[in-house]
Amino acid sequence: MANKLLTIIKPFLKPLLALGLVLALFLGHANSALAASGGRIGGGSFRAPARSFTAPSRSYTAPGGGYYGGGGFGFPFILPFFGFGGGFGGLFSILIVFAIANFLLNTFRNISEEKTIAEVTNPKVSVAKVQVGLLAQARDLQSDLEKLARRADTSTSAGLAEVLQETTLALLRHPEYWVYAGSESQQARLEAAESQFNRLALMERSKFSEETLSNFNSQLKQASSSQLAVAQKAGALASQQPGEYIVVTLLVAAQGQLDLPQVTSPDTLRQALQQIGAVSSDRLLALEVLWAPQAEGDVLTRDDMITMYPNLRLI
């Protein structure tokens, strides 16, 4: 009877075992991801720069008198048809040349003005991301980011530029903790760049179970003590697994060109951090500084790194 039952169940054993492994991996990653509390500093606006543009005056005085503006054919051109003036043939030819030249000049000016207005109202914007995975021993960096979040003025471009510089400096001062890194940058017009920046920010923020500390546009928010206790408990469970990390993400939207090197080594990471940190306040449109974990006692494990940050490479 037992043998018969085993014969019936045997074909289903392998699929059930495979399903059990998949569920175990999924639940393991899900529980690990719950430990990812996060911090956030940022702000900015994708408004077109407030610049005035005055079109140059376009007027032309033809030889022999007569005045006209714009690109039309004026009085001096039609005058010879009525027989005024001497030297009809020569004067007529000169007027034709000047009229055509004026028409072409005005056409080129119109094209140039339209292009200039488009560049002012919808300029090119660079959207860049630098991400660094550090050993969890870099707790001083985590503490620096928390202090910065509590005091930073994120309602102005100058304040955001200071946050960017302070964050990149803190990362540059701890190269001994660098383990993983990645970078990317792309250009788009202002309207499209906002969507691209928001997409990247949402993608990174969605990796947090909760933002336990946030300063966005000078609105400071912090998790309650009960929420922090939950994050810390989850972190204590996750810390039993080997390997603990801190991940810091810099997202920048800046006017003009910002080409970051592909990060493949500590040297290229240093170059990328120096370039993104040097963006001036008059170019900086928006900034997001994100880090995980944020809650004390919370950690990122090796599984977290593989699951949530698969694009980072070992440096």
Side-chain angles (χ1 to χ4, degrees), residues 213-257:
L213 179 62
S214 171
N215 179 349
F216 189 80
N217 283 337
S218 286
Q219 294 186 1
L220 184 63
K221 297 179 182 179
Q222 188 166 358
S224 64
S225 56
S226 60
Q227 291 170 324
L228 287 172
V230 171
Q232 290 167 5
K233 184 178 180 180
L237 292 172
S239 64
Q240 298 172 7
Q241 302 183 42
E244 299 176 11
Y245 302 93
I246 299 170
V247 175
V248 179
T249 303
L250 297 171
L251 290 177
V252 167
Q255 292 183 58
Q257 191 167 354

Side-chain angles (χ1 to χ4, degrees), residues 6-247:
L6 183 60
T7 304
I8 296 172
I9 301 175
K10 193 173 181 180
F12 301 98
L13 287 178
K14 287 185 178 179
L16 286 172
L17 182 60
L19 180 61
L21 288 172
V22 170
L23 287 173
L25 288 171
F26 175 77
L27 292 174
H29 285 164
N31 289 332
S32 177
L34 290 176
S37 60
R40 179 191 187 202
I41 312 174
S45 171
F46 280 82
R47 294 177 182 173
R51 298 177 186 171
S52 60
F53 177 79
T54 305
S57 115
R58 294 172 295 162
S59 60
Y60 176 74
T61 305
Y67 171 85
Y68 61 98
F73 294 96
F75 180 72
F77 179 73
I78 62 172
L79 183 63
F81 285 107
F82 296 94
F84 295 99
F88 173 78
L91 180 60
F92 183 71
S93 300
I94 291 171
L95 290 174
I96 288 179
V97 170
F98 274 104
I100 293 175
N102 187 60
F103 174 76
L104 293 174
L105 181 61
N106 284 325
T107 301
F108 289 135
R109 278 179 177 173
N110 286 333
I111 295 172
S112 177
E113 287 168 15
E114 289 173 3
K115 184 178 179 181
T116 303
I117 293 171
E119 288 176 350
V120 169
T121 57
N122 192 24
K124 285 185 178 180
V125 173
S126 293
V127 177
K129 178 173 80 169
V130 175
Q131 210 159 35
V132 187
L134 307 101
L135 294 173
Q137 285 84 348
R139 293 293 181 185
D140 289 344
L141 171 64
Q142 200 176 23
S143 177
D144 290 343
L145 291 173
E146 291 171 4
K147 292 175 183 176
L148 185 60
R150 289 186 173 91
R151 67 173 173 78
D153 177 11
T154 55
S155 62
T156 65
S157 296
L160 291 173
E162 182 182 358
V163 169
L164 179 59
Q165 291 174 6
E166 290 294 325
T167 305
T168 52
L169 279 173
L171 289 168
L172 287 167
R173 287 169 181 158
H174 295 285
E176 68 275 16
Y177 297 130
W178 298 347
V179 183
Y180 298 95
S183 69
E184 62 178 90
S185 59
Q186 50 193 297
Q187 278 196 326
R189 288 295 179 184
L190 182 67
E191 296 172 357
E194 182 175 10
S195 298
Q196 178 65 9
F197 182 88
N198 290 338
R199 184 186 68 81
L200 290 173
L202 286 173
M203 183 175 66
E204 295 303 323
R205 293 174 64 195
S206 67
K207 297 173 184 177
F208 304 157
S209 60
E210 186 174 2
E211 287 176 3
T212 46
L213 179 62
S214 171
N215 179 349
F216 189 80
N217 283 337
S218 286
Q219 294 186 1
L220 184 63
K221 297 179 182 179
Q222 188 166 358
S224 64
S225 56
S226 60
Q227 291 170 324
L228 287 172
V230 171
Q232 290 167 5
K233 184 178 180 180
L237 292 172
S239 64
Q240 298 172 7
Q241 302 183 42
E244 299 176 11
Y245 302 93
I246 299 170
V247 175

Side-chain angles (χ1 to χ4, degrees), residues 239-275:
S239 64
Q240 298 172 7
Q241 302 183 42
E244 299 176 11
Y245 302 93
I246 299 170
V247 175
V248 179
T249 303
L250 297 171
L251 290 177
V252 167
Q255 292 183 58
Q257 191 167 354
L258 180 60
D259 291 326
L260 299 180
Q262 184 179 5
V263 174
T264 57
S265 66
D267 287 337
T268 51
L269 174 56
R270 187 175 291 104
Q271 293 172 19
L273 287 171
Q274 289 171 345
Q275 283 185 233

